[in-house]
Amino acid sequence: MKALCWNGVKDLRVETVPDPTILNSRDAIIKVSMSSVCGSDLHLYNGFVPSMREGDIIGHEFMGEVVETGKDVRKLKKGDRVVVVSVIGCGECHYCSSGSWSLCDNSNPHAIMQEKAYNYSTAGIFGYSHLFGGYAGSHAQYIRVPFADNGAFVVPEEVPDEKAVFISDAMPTGYMAAEMGNIKPGDVVAVWGAGGVGQMAIQTAYLMGAEKVIAIDSFDYRLQAAAKFSKAETLDYTSTDILDALKEATGGRGPDVCIDAVGMEARTTGIEQIYDKAKQKLRLESDRPAVLRQAIMACRKGGTISVVGVYAGLIDKFPMGVMMNKGLTMRGGQMHGQHYVQMLIDLILQDKIDPSFLLTHPMPLEAGPEAYGMFNDKTDNCMRAVFLPNM
Amino acid sequence: MAIIYPDMYRNTGKDHTGMMTDPQVINVNTPERIFSVIAGTFLIYSGIKSLVGHPVAAASKLVAGSVLFARGASGHCPIYERTGTDGVRPQNINIKQYFTVNKPREEVYQFWRKLENLPLFMRHLESVTQTDEKHSHWKAKFGSYLPSVSWDAQIVKERENEFIGWSALEGSVIENAGKVEFKDAPGGRGTEVQVVFSYHAPVGGIATGIAKLFNPVAENIIREDVRNFKQYIEAGEVPTTTGQPSGRK
């Protein structure tokens, strides 16, 4: 089959590789119909996530058709049209049983590696480095899905592919971002990053009763999409003093909930950007936390910071004094997709959320390297490129 | 002038400040010394050959070669000295591991007590055969190029649903002993399992060198095998990516 493989920093190649096979009895093989790029893939693309190996197949947001099932697969059958959650959960450990699927005890074959880095191991993720299990990703014609009954969900006919594919990652991540913010009616929510996850967080925040959501980004087309599709107010951090503008928008109180949908490659302006870039280049800090710092500064006293942008390692100049004295609550995490899928399907069926505007660039898998270049450089107004590997 | 050491520092090669004063203390084992001499000789030879064409590379080869050669010839390694490594006596393996299994204590205990279950998830065990209530025969393979090893073990103490202690019979190739304990986790969180495992490496001759190379690998193998117990009893399988496609040739 054809697959998009990581070979080094900004070096992706479409290769012919063997087809996946069933390796464990709860596996299924999925013929991929759609596989989306995700902002978090850019951290792999730009070389900021450790433990990538040449030849790794990347991609984790996908859907397709079940073509083979292992002998212990009970719910799925050949021919099912399914969307697959990007994190892998065994379904039996304490974490999966209590809905915290991305903290699964048993789905990471390289648990020993993650224990060395994080002291505990978390769930495996498709195509997201060996630290997260080294599973082959979805930018391929076929993919093996472990614990398939847990992670693959049959999509109702009424939900078309261009909506369903985002139930894999962008929608549950945005949903969980808003949920961790514990939004109450009347709250003002600020969302940093108006990409796929940020847009979904904005829409969910409104569903949860937010009075007003403010999107912060620097790309005009993304801010326009946030205003048009997600009904957010928008701020461009390159031309606005964000702390001041957020006070102005909230009668001086500050946003009740601040969502970081950017993560470790945050950009900002001026000396702070130069400082973090230099430290990251020299490997003195692995992640650039400009958004996180600004969110902590901007948040109202007693407010909540919700972090779904991906961080991998260490950050520098963390404003702990601000966080502590302002009495902030901070939560973060990879999304527990399996916990949200059924509800998200219902929200789509009820027309309360429509993520299809994210799919700006349907592309063949062969265009993988160009698609990532475009997505990384934010050219051609790209929200998300989605591969159709079997077209 | 000969240095006179007080008794307590004799044979350590160190003075009272802990500083190395006697370069003759042997802290490199024999196989490693032979390797050092050969590698050192090769580097010196290669350094001399490239002196004209690549003087910088040649200089570093000569320095590294001389250090290696001296280390092999004298049996003393200054780096081992600084890092506190003793290459002569291999470390025994002592592993303690704790984890919580999301299952009732009786079930977890029974699964472990049926020793024949262990090769289902401990990948380096080929088989365990219970010969009677207390005795069992174990067969393991620690690498595709190494021959299988087997030994006999007995359960030396046990209390149903609480603990199992075992020990290899005297004269076993793999001299090991261990204990696994089971406790109720609080608030219905399942069973807390604590595994203690110790393995005494053979000492002397070539076995010392092999054990020294092998032990860090063995420790990871044993830790992984113990982890696999939780994965297998909870999820019904050990997660793997072995055999999946990649672009690696």
Side-chain angles (χ1 to χ4, degrees):
Chain A
M1 66 168 183
K2 281 174 297 188
L4 185 63
C5 300
W6 184 96
N7 280 284
V9 176
K10 296 187 180 176
D11 180 5
L12 304 180
R13 296 174 208 165
V14 180
E15 313 250 21
T16 302
V17 303
D19 286 355
T21 52
I22 302 275
L23 300 176
N24 270 334
S25 60
R26 297 171 70 188
D27 294 353
I29 305 294
I30 309 290
K31 183 179 180 187
V32 180
S33 57
M34 279 194 178
S35 179
S36 176
V37 303
C38 169
S40 65
D41 287 331
L42 296 177
H43 310 319
L44 309 176
Y45 183 71
N46 291 317
F48 293 116
V49 175
S51 78
M52 288 297 291
R53 292 179 60 196
E54 283 174 29
D56 285 344
I57 304 171
I58 61 169
H60 58 258
E61 183 162 33
F62 65 105
M63 64 177 301
E65 181 195 332
V66 177
V67 291
E68 199 185 343
T69 54
K71 70 175 168 52
D72 290 322
V73 172
R74 301 272 175 267
K75 294 186 213 156
L76 297 176
K77 56 182 193 306
K78 248 192 206 179
D80 280 348
R81 176 169 158 264
V82 293
V83 60
V84 182
V85 175
S86 21
V87 302
I88 302 166
C90 77
E92 313 294 332
C93 68
H94 171 74
Y95 291 102
C96 290
S97 319
S98 54
S100 301
W101 292 80
S102 72
L103 306 179
C104 177
D105 271 341
N106 297 322
S107 64
N108 188 342
H110 299 154
I112 201 166
M113 198 190 268
Q114 243 206 16
E115 275 172 6
K116 281 180 180 142
Y118 297 164
N119 200 21
Y120 297 93
S121 79
T122 61
I125 301 178
F126 292 105
Y128 210 73
S129 86
H130 290 264
L131 204 53
F132 291 90
Y135 287 103
S138 61
H139 294 340
Q141 290 182 291
Y142 296 89
I143 183 170
R144 163 188 166 243
V145 174
F147 303 114
D149 276 337
N150 298 330
F153 291 79
V154 175
V155 180
E157 263 176 53
E158 307 89 292
V159 180
D161 283 9
E162 58 269 28
K163 291 184 186 179
V165 66
F166 298 114
I167 298 174
S168 172
D169 190 343
M171 285 184 77
T173 305
Y175 194 97
M176 186 161 138
E179 194 180 66
M180 288 192 298
N182 193 18
I183 295 165
K184 295 185 183 64
D187 276 359
V188 177
V189 178
V191 177
W192 277 258
V197 168
Q199 302 279 352
M200 292 300 107
I202 295 165
Q203 298 198 13
T204 312
Y206 279 123
L207 286 180
M208 291 178 174
E211 179 67 26
K212 176 158 66 176
V213 185
I214 301 162
I216 301 157
D217 205 304
S218 66
F219 296 100
D220 202 38
Y221 75 96
R222 295 193 161 206
L223 290 173
Q224 279 175 22
K228 184 177 170 198
F229 297 105
S230 306
K231 311 287 180 253
E233 290 185 10
T234 60
L235 292 174
D236 179 346
Y237 67 80
T238 58
S239 58
T240 319
D241 177 344
I242 294 297
L243 296 184
D244 189 60
L246 286 174
K247 277 191 176 173
E248 190 183 340
T250 55
R253 299 188 305 278
D256 303 277
V257 178
C258 293
I259 293 174
D260 173 357
V262 176
M264 61 195 279
E265 287 182 73
R267 277 176 277 235
T268 182
T269 50
I271 191 76
E272 187 184 359
Q273 173 71 4
I274 297 164
Y275 171 83
D276 281 321
K277 261 259 182 292
K279 286 207 84 160
Q280 194 178 41
K281 263 257 159 10
L282 295 168
R283 296 286 187 262
L284 292 171
E285 66 176 347
S286 55
D287 307 0
R288 298 199 308 260
V291 161
L292 199 54
R293 290 186 195 123
Q294 192 167 64
I296 289 169
M297 288 304 286
C299 195
R300 78 155 165 89
K301 293 179 284 180
T304 303
I305 312 280
S306 168
V307 185
V308 290
V310 172
Y311 291 82
L314 305 177
I315 60 168
D316 198 2
K317 304 283 185 290
F318 182 84
M320 192 62 213
V322 182
M323 158 124 191
M324 187 272 164
N325 288 295
K326 272 173 39 178
L328 303 183
T329 300
M330 186 162 152
R331 296 188 64 186
Q334 298 278 1
M335 55 84 187
H336 309 307
Q338 290 85 339
H339 179 67
Y340 298 105
V341 170
Q342 207 50 59
M343 181 181 42
L344 296 172
I345 290 176
D346 291 345
L347 286 174
I348 290 178
L349 286 172
Q350 295 157 16
D351 239 350
K352 289 192 172 153
I353 292 189
D354 179 358
S356 55
F357 72 97
L358 298 177
L359 204 171
T360 51
H361 291 73
M363 296 173 99
L365 191 60
E366 287 76 3
E370 295 75 37
Y372 268 93
M374 174 180 71
F375 184 53
N376 187 55
D377 302 337
K378 307 288 182 287
T379 52
D380 202 30
N381 293 349
C382 178
M383 286 297 290
R384 287 207 164 182
V386 174
F387 303 117
L388 311 165
N390 285 293
M391 289 291 269
Chain B
M1 190 182 74
I3 301 165
I4 299 163
Y5 295 102
D7 261 0
M8 59 188 294
Y9 302 120
R10 184 156 295 157
N11 298 329
T12 64
K14 293 174 185 175
D15 70 8
H16 64 287
T17 63
M19 202 178 90
M20 192 71 194
T21 52
D22 185 353
Q24 293 314 311
V25 166
I26 290 173
N27 64 358
V28 182
N29 66 39
T30 311
E32 222 180 314
R33 286 177 69 177
I34 295 168
F35 170 80
S36 294
V37 170
I38 294 170
T41 311
F42 172 78
L43 276 177
I44 291 167
Y45 171 74
S46 148
I48 290 169
K49 260 202 345 190
S50 54
L51 253 179
V52 181
H54 308 282
V56 177
S60 53
K61 276 180 186 171
L62 284 172
V63 171
S66 312
V67 170
L68 267 177
F69 185 86
R71 174 182 188 267
S74 70
H76 174 74
C77 172
I79 297 167
Y80 277 6
E81 161 60 23
R82 292 298 288 272
T83 57
T85 307
D86 184 341
V88 181
R89 278 176 293 273
Q91 300 286 305
N92 291 333
I93 297 177
N94 289 296
I95 291 170
K96 224 178 183 186
Q97 225 164 318
Y98 346 83
F99 52 90
T100 299
V101 175
N102 196 19
K103 296 261 178 194
R105 183 153 54 99
E106 294 69 29
E107 188 182 336
V108 180
Y109 173 89
Q110 290 303 337
F111 192 79
W112 191 293
R113 181 60 182 85
K114 193 168 185 306
L115 301 174
E116 279 150 351
N117 280 336
L118 301 183
L120 287 174
F121 53 88
M122 296 198 165
R123 288 185 173 152
H124 300 85
L125 281 181
E126 286 187 327
S127 65
V128 180
T129 319
Q130 266 172 258
T131 45
D132 62 37
E133 188 51 31
K134 297 282 179 198
H135 293 85
S136 48
H137 183 74
W138 297 61
K139 233 173 134 177
K141 201 168 163 71
F142 291 102
S144 44
Y145 300 106
L146 298 171
S148 305
V149 284
S150 61
W151 67 94
D152 290 302
Q154 64 174 338
I155 293 194
V156 289
K157 52 180 178 178
E158 64 179 318
R159 189 180 296 157
E160 198 174 0
N161 302 331
E162 289 184 27
F163 60 81
I164 306 166
W166 74 89
S167 166
L169 294 188
E170 217 168 304
S172 293
V173 191
I174 309 255
E175 208 183 301
N176 70 88
K179 187 180 171 188
V180 51
E181 282 182 89
F182 308 86
K183 282 185 195 147
D184 286 331
R189 285 170 173 79
T191 308
E192 292 178 2
V193 182
Q194 179 174 314
V195 181
V196 181
F197 179 89
S198 68
Y199 159 67
H200 304 279
V203 181
I206 194 80
T208 307
I210 292 170
K212 199 178 142 282
L213 287 173
F214 177 67
N215 278 8
V217 181
E219 182 164 341
N220 275 348
I221 286 175
I222 295 161
R223 284 189 183 282
E224 283 298 281
D225 277 357
V226 170
R227 182 202 310 282
N228 292 353
F229 171 76
K230 173 178 159 72
Q231 293 168 332
Y232 191 87
I233 192 172
E234 282 188 350
E237 66 184 46
V238 174
T240 185
T241 55
T242 307
Q244 73 174 9
S246 83
R248 285 182 282 280
K249 302 292 181 290

